[in-house]
Amino acid sequence: MELRELKDMWQTKIEGDISTQQYTSEHINEVIMKTNLTVDKLHSTNIFWWKVSKISIAALVFMLLLNVILFVISPKDFAQFEHALPFMAVIGVFGLLSLWINYEQVKIFDMGGAANLRMGIESSIQQFKRFYFLSSLFNLVVLPIVFYSGILIAKMGFFKVKFSFSGELVWQSLIFTAITMLLGHFYYKKTYFRWLAELKMNLSELSQQN
């Protein structure tokens, strides 16, 4: 082989290696950018639901306090108010716990304090899985009680409600709970689970590149 041919082959190899490195670098940057965008979507969605939760719970607490104020002003007109207290407590506690759950969810994909982005994302994915399981368990236990209280209040009236057991109301509460949890699951599947799958795929791709 002549010297000129050898130089041409070597030059071609070098150019090919440079082109490959440039492609790999550009591809890695693209994957990192997609990963950051996905994390931003997750965090922004969490913040949105946190704001919705704050407004909803504030309205709920205001309604409960308003009824207490009406009773204090005119106790004779609400002689059976004490019967409504347990139901108010159930709804109020559920609202405050839901607010706390949404607050904990906001912190999951906040990458502000993460020293290593990849490790932070992997940790956030595990935290979200644990959060989803525990929040689903919470709803499974608490929602039937909340719906049962809500149905009694709707049927008897807020200041006339008193506890009574009904198999029919139990079934209605369980049905409402199942519908609520199924709708929530479909929402999470369409948004959070899809974004988490994208994150896992991006992290896997980055690991292969390294």
Side-chain angles (χ1 to χ4, degrees):
M1 181 181 293
E2 295 183 2
L3 181 60
R4 183 180 182 81
E5 293 178 357
L6 183 60
K7 288 174 63 179
D8 290 343
M9 288 178 60
W10 185 251
Q11 183 66 27
T12 302
K13 182 179 184 306
I14 292 174
E15 290 175 354
D17 291 343
I18 293 173
S19 177
T20 301
Q21 290 173 1
Q22 289 176 345
Y23 169 77
T24 303
S25 177
E26 289 175 1
H27 184 63
I28 289 175
N29 290 335
E30 182 181 346
V31 173
I32 291 173
M33 185 175 66
K34 288 194 298 184
T35 301
N36 288 332
L37 287 174
T38 303
V39 171
D40 286 342
K41 282 192 291 187
L42 285 161
H43 189 54
S44 298
T45 304
N46 286 343
I47 291 175
F48 169 78
W49 287 115
W50 164 240
K51 291 179 179 178
V52 170
S53 179
K54 285 195 295 184
I55 294 171
S56 302
I57 301 307
L60 176 65
V61 171
F62 174 77
M63 182 193 73
L64 294 176
L65 289 177
L66 182 61
N67 283 282
V68 173
I69 292 171
L70 290 174
F71 171 73
V72 172
I73 293 174
S74 182
K76 292 182 179 180
D77 294 333
F78 307 104
Q80 295 182 324
F81 180 74
E82 66 274 8
H83 296 305
L85 290 176
F87 301 95
M88 292 176 64
V90 167
I91 295 172
V93 169
F94 172 75
L96 293 175
L97 286 175
S98 298
L99 187 66
W100 175 75
I101 288 172
N102 278 278
Y103 174 71
E104 289 299 313
Q105 185 175 0
V106 168
K107 297 189 293 184
I108 293 177
F109 288 100
D110 184 3
M111 297 288 109
N116 184 290
L117 182 60
R118 182 186 299 174
M119 291 179 62
I121 292 173
E122 290 174 348
S123 175
S124 293
I125 291 174
Q126 294 303 317
Q127 289 177 35
F128 182 83
K129 289 179 179 179
R130 184 166 59 251
F131 162 82
Y132 181 75
F133 172 77
L134 292 176
S135 61
S136 297
L137 186 61
F138 168 78
N139 287 329
L140 183 63
V141 173
V142 176
L143 277 180
I145 301 172
V146 174
F147 280 124
Y148 194 94
S149 301
I151 294 171
L152 279 177
I153 291 173
K155 285 192 172 185
M156 297 182 181
F158 194 85
F159 292 106
K160 296 180 181 179
V161 64
K162 59 183 178 178
F163 179 77
S164 63
F165 180 80
S166 168
E168 181 183 355
L169 293 187
V170 170
W171 278 110
Q172 290 177 7
S173 303
L174 293 175
I175 290 171
F176 282 129
T177 299
I179 293 173
T180 301
M181 294 189 68
L182 281 174
L183 290 175
H185 176 74
F186 287 141
Y187 171 76
Y188 271 85
K189 186 176 181 180
K190 185 179 179 181
T191 54
Y192 287 94
F193 295 161
R194 179 168 59 85
W195 294 334
L196 289 178
E198 291 177 4
L199 278 181
K200 290 179 181 178
M201 184 176 64
N202 291 340
L203 291 177
S204 175
E205 199 165 351
L206 288 173
S207 298
Q208 291 174 5
Q209 294 293 340
N210 292 336

